[in-house]
Amino acid sequence: MMRYLRIFQFPAFAGYFLGDTIVRLMEQCVQIALLWFLATRGHSPANLGWYVFWNTAPVIIGGPLTVKLFRYWSIRRSMVVDLVSRALGYGMLTVVIY
């Protein structure tokens, strides 16, 4: 077990691991909040369909675009663009449903 924990001695990996863990926890919080919102306000299976669309659209549409962005921008900047576009999509979804 200790040999696996030695990887955290590298500051770059420790920072990446901490940041990635926080991002994944926040993504799950957003998904739970959206499902709660749709369950209480949506009253329609179509709303869940829109949620699934906005949840998978960044992967389906954004995947090939992200590869092109990596050629021109840094990885950090591309990840920020991805997260902001998802947040805008979720925001539009809640406005349309409400």
Side-chain angles (χ1 to χ4, degrees):
M1 180 72 175
M2 290 305 294
R3 70 179 184 173
Y4 294 114
L5 295 177
R6 277 189 232 145
I7 191 78
F8 290 104
Q9 292 175 353
F10 297 102
F13 179 79
Y16 167 77
F17 183 80
L18 180 65
D20 190 53
T21 302
I22 291 170
V23 165
R24 290 182 188 275
L25 284 172
M26 292 300 111
E27 284 180 350
Q28 292 304 314
C29 290
V30 166
Q31 285 193 359
I32 289 171
L34 280 172
L35 286 173
W36 183 266
F37 177 78
L38 290 174
T40 57
R41 305 278 182 179
H43 307 296
S44 169
N47 293 336
L48 286 174
W50 279 110
Y51 168 74
V52 170
F53 170 76
W54 282 113
N55 199 28
T56 57
V59 176
I60 295 170
I61 298 167
L65 294 176
T66 304
V67 172
K68 291 182 181 185
L69 283 179
F70 283 162
R71 293 182 186 158
Y72 302 109
W73 290 349
S74 67
I75 292 174
R76 180 176 291 177
R77 191 174 187 187
S78 301
M79 289 173 69
V80 168
V81 167
D82 176 54
L83 289 173
V84 168
S85 65
R86 262 190 222 197
L88 290 174
Y90 289 147
M92 288 188 302
L93 176 67
T94 55
V95 168
V96 168
I97 289 174
Y98 192 67

